[in-house]
Amino acid sequence: MARGRFILLEGCDRAGKSTQCAMLVKALQERGHSVELCKFPERTTTIGQMIHAYLTNSKELDDKAIHLLFSANRWEAMQAMKRKLEQGTHLVVDRYAYSGVAFSTAKGLDLKWCMNPDKGLVRPDLTLFLDLPTAEAERRGGFGEERYEKRELQEKVREVFLRLKAKEWVVVDARKSIEAMHQEILNEAEQKIREGEQAKEDALLE
Ligand code: 2DT
Ligand code: MG
């Protein structure tokens, strides 16, 4: 069996990541794939509960301390994620280390310092960046109540994301309709999955 593919959706708030992740998981399941959704921050763990308390403003934490907690929240998920990928389950992931670096750097921390704790995490096979201009994000019913949901910070976060953007990232224009974005994301994901299956077949024939 081919290793599962790690498909990451990144982007600023209101770009539609969670909607698109859910639609992608459902579409891949309907096509017979074994697939699971992961979301960061994963708020259900002990570390996740601390992050949740911080984001909902019921707890204050030093910028570096919360950055490390976000990273630790990924590290504590690593073994289970690796196991699933090895078992052939695809993972659709809603935010990851790029969000970690983008938000903390936007708050004023050093980019390189922010990248360090995530070094060695499993690398995504496909990163889809859902890009939405901040003004458009604000028009979509405005931002919510959580700590980072402010126009000024979101603007900076988007700038850092665009700096982090690697050539292999697929940029999805999040101004498009939900259905149009879904089709584009599903096509990219299916192509990546086919590549993985092909690589496995080639390996068997060697
Ligand atoms: P959600 O609204 O998607 O639950 O995110 N964040 C996220 C960070 O600052 N660092 C991280 O490592 C991650 C994964 C982005 C809640 C907020 O947490 C921010 C928005
Ligand atoms: Mg949010």
Side-chain angles (χ1 to χ4, degrees), residues 12-14 17-18 39 41 43 55 95 103 144-146 148-149 154:
C12 298
D13 286 50
R14 296 288 177 274
K17 287 182 302 303
S18 302
K39 166 158 182 46
R43 301 189 192 213
L55 288 172
R95 289 195 197 274
F103 279 79
E145 296 293 305
E146 289 201 340
Y148 294 155
E149 300 183 334
Q154 293 284 330

Side-chain angles (χ1 to χ4, degrees), residues 10-13 17 55 67 70 95 97-109 114 148-149 153-154 156-158 160-161 164:
E10 276 284 12
C12 298
D13 286 50
K17 287 182 302 303
L55 288 172
H67 181 79
F70 273 114
R95 289 195 197 274
Y98 303 109
S99 276
V101 173
F103 279 79
S104 293
T105 305
K107 286 160 76 182
L109 297 187
C114 290
Y148 294 155
E149 300 183 334
L153 183 74
Q154 293 284 330
K156 288 188 187 150
V157 168
R158 181 164 179 252
V160 187
F161 268 131
L164 290 171

Side-chain angles (χ1 to χ4, degrees), residues 73-84:
N73 187 231
R74 284 183 280 280
W75 280 108
E76 66 179 344
M78 262 325 93
Q79 281 207 14
M81 286 173 70
K82 277 187 185 165
R83 204 177 319 117
K84 282 174 188 160

